[in-house]
Amino acid sequence: MTDKKYIQRLKLVLKCGGEFAIDFNAEENGKINPQIEKFVQLFSDFDPEEDHSIVFGGERMIGVRISEIAAYEVLSLTFTPKKEKE
């Protein structure tokens, strides 16, 4: 049987009303993925005079301009393997 898999979903809500979600692997439950931590720091320190962007890497690359984001949500998910029937 395989171990549990931890995922963190970052949902971004854009000022234009659009939204999308990005899934990240998490090493352990409760520990935020480093890419999400970096995004939260940039978003928290946002200065309208400077137009920062962030690129998330992984299976796909996603670039986001921080000034276009209205809100975000981080959701931690745990996938537990299903027990096989005998």
Side-chain angles (χ1 to χ4, degrees):
M1 185 183 319
T2 59
D3 294 332
K4 293 180 182 179
K5 184 174 183 177
Y6 301 109
I7 300 288
Q8 289 168 345
R9 178 168 290 154
L10 173 63
K11 179 179 162 185
L12 301 175
V13 180
L14 304 176
K15 290 180 180 176
C16 68
E19 59 183 57
F20 63 95
I22 308 167
D23 291 338
F24 296 91
N25 288 324
E27 293 179 19
E28 57 187 68
N29 194 19
K31 184 174 179 183
I32 301 293
N33 179 287
Q35 291 188 73
I36 295 174
E37 283 182 352
K38 182 177 178 182
F39 163 76
V40 170
Q41 186 65 41
L42 276 173
F43 189 81
S44 299
D45 295 340
F46 176 69
D47 179 1
E49 299 294 319
E50 299 178 19
D51 195 12
H52 291 286
S53 62
I54 187 169
V55 176
F56 298 105
E59 291 183 21
R60 60 182 179 160
M61 287 183 70
I62 299 172
V64 180
R65 185 175 294 130
I66 300 296
S67 63
E68 297 297 320
I69 299 170
Y72 69 90
E73 174 184 46
V74 178
L75 178 64
S76 294
L77 304 167
T78 303
F79 294 97
T80 306
K82 189 175 181 178
K83 292 183 180 179
E84 295 183 20
K85 294 181 182 179
E86 293 182 15

